[in-house]
Amino acid sequence: MVKTLHFHSTRKAILALRVSSLFFLFSSLSSHGHPIKAHIFIYAGCSQEKFQPSSPFEGNLNSFLSSLVSSSSQALYNSFSMGNGSSSTPADAAVYGLYQCRGDLKILDCSRCIESAVNQIGLVCPYSYGSSLQLEGCYVRYEHFDFLGKIDTSLRYKKCSKSVSNDVEFFRRRDDVLADLQGAISFRVSSSGLVEGFAQCVGDLNPTDCSSCLADAVGKLKTLCGSAAAADVFLAQCYARYWASGYYDLSSDSSNEDDAGKTVAIIVGVLAGIAVLIVLLSICRKAMSNNCSY
């Protein structure tokens, strides 16, 4: 099981971004938008190794996070290497990372999703040398070693709905969808009858490695979720999902409880409440000051 951890940043620009993203995240968590709830938490994982505050690594990490937000307003995918080209920078200070948005997101929604991802990582993982965060609409990962372009099909997360009865037609349609998704090069949506699905590889994979990753993901959907009416499987560099039309409740038989997502929602709610309290106290203080002056 992937551990849910988080990192912390100290630069004022990152802090400001997080504060603004808190309210954006709060509103997205409480909304009932459809069809893409891009900011919904799926999973997070971080290394146990920690860096020191104000270290060279933290400086490069801050630059990486700023680059994510900037780049996501222009493209659905990008990768970065920070601090690896200078002889004066310690070897363990380099940051390698990427972000990717779901292929059917608009650029504006992508940018908002990445802002939310940056915020959520900051809430759930302090001082980590490596972290990955998957939201419904986007994915962010960074490490202190170069992982870019290197295939990794380890299982990060699965979620399966309740099983359906022996519906031969459903399973035939499901297998047609999964076979089509397995041939995706980047992002692909597929449907057959009442079964729909989509799949995506991370942008640093070449077509051959993408096909290999998706073949593994599709295989795990069948073996791990069996006769589920809907299922998700997320590997380190690709994911695949299918569902019966009109059925999108993946609330049971999850390999990972959504404790981190619930924790984020609680923290956001608490912080929003504190912000309101601060504003009210400020108003009361001004009112008391004005009364005293008469």
Side-chain angles (χ1 to χ4, degrees):
M1 182 180 294
V2 180
K3 297 182 179 179
T4 53
L5 302 171
H6 54 275
F7 78 86
H8 174 71
S9 171
T10 58
R11 281 190 179 180
K12 292 182 179 179
I14 299 300
L15 288 175
L17 170 62
R18 288 175 180 169
V19 170
S20 63
S21 296
L22 282 174
F23 293 97
F24 185 84
L25 172 61
F26 181 72
S27 63
S28 69
L29 286 172
S30 60
S31 70
H32 301 282
H34 193 78
I36 301 176
K37 299 178 182 180
H39 307 84
I40 299 302
F41 177 94
I42 295 181
Y43 76 82
C46 295
S47 69
Q48 296 294 325
E49 299 176 273
K50 305 294 183 179
F51 61 83
Q52 293 299 313
S54 302
S55 64
F57 183 87
E58 184 176 47
N60 288 328
L61 179 58
N62 289 337
S63 296
F64 167 69
L65 296 175
S66 296
S67 296
L68 292 187
V69 177
S70 176
S71 179
S72 63
S73 65
Q74 304 174 38
L76 297 181
Y77 164 82
N78 208 347
S79 61
F80 305 86
S81 299
M82 303 291 185
N84 65 327
S86 174
S87 58
S88 61
T89 303
D92 62 353
V95 176
Y96 301 88
L98 57 79
Y99 76 87
Q100 177 162 286
C101 291
R102 221 170 83 176
D104 55 349
L105 280 188
K106 297 178 180 179
I107 286 293
L108 178 59
D109 294 327
C110 175
S111 181
R112 288 174 173 174
C113 188
I114 293 300
E115 286 187 14
S116 183
V118 168
N119 172 66
Q120 290 195 50
I121 293 179
L123 288 171
V124 297
C125 183
Y127 304 111
S128 178
Y129 265 121
S131 176
S132 59
L133 174 66
Q134 179 72 61
L135 303 183
E136 178 65 31
C138 61
Y139 173 72
V140 170
R141 181 184 178 187
Y142 73 84
E143 303 285 354
H144 67 288
F145 59 86
D146 189 2
F147 67 92
L148 299 172
K150 300 173 183 177
I151 189 168
D152 180 359
T153 59
S154 58
L155 178 65
R156 297 300 179 90
Y157 177 85
K158 79 169 178 71
K159 201 164 192 178
C160 314
S161 74
K162 296 178 181 179
S163 297
V164 296
S165 59
N166 296 325
D167 187 337
V168 176
E169 178 66 11
F170 168 78
F171 291 117
R172 184 178 72 82
R173 297 291 190 177
R174 183 203 66 174
D175 290 346
D176 287 343
V177 168
L178 294 181
D180 188 37
L181 295 180
Q182 190 170 320
I185 296 178
S186 178
F187 177 78
R188 177 175 293 183
V189 178
S190 182
S191 65
S192 178
L194 297 178
V195 180
E196 302 171 73
F198 59 79
Q200 186 170 22
C201 289
V202 176
D204 63 330
L205 287 185
N206 62 49
T208 300
D209 288 341
C210 177
S211 295
S212 178
C213 189
L214 287 176
D216 200 346
V218 166
K220 284 183 170 61
L221 276 175
K222 293 181 178 181
T223 58
L224 298 178
C225 293
S227 58
D232 292 357
V233 163
F234 288 82
L235 306 185
Q237 289 180 296
C238 68
Y239 65 85
R241 166 186 290 174
Y242 75 85
W243 65 95
S245 182
Y247 189 105
Y248 205 67
D249 178 14
L250 302 181
S251 59
S252 61
D253 301 328
S254 171
S255 63
N256 291 18
E257 296 295 332
D258 290 337
D259 291 338
K262 294 174 184 176
T263 300
V264 169
I266 292 171
I267 292 173
V268 169
V270 170
L271 291 177
I274 292 173
V276 172
L277 180 60
I278 291 173
V279 172
L280 291 175
L281 289 174
S282 177
I283 293 173
C284 290
R285 182 178 298 176
K286 290 181 179 179
M288 291 175 65
S289 177
N290 290 337
N291 290 334
C292 290
S293 64
Y294 287 108

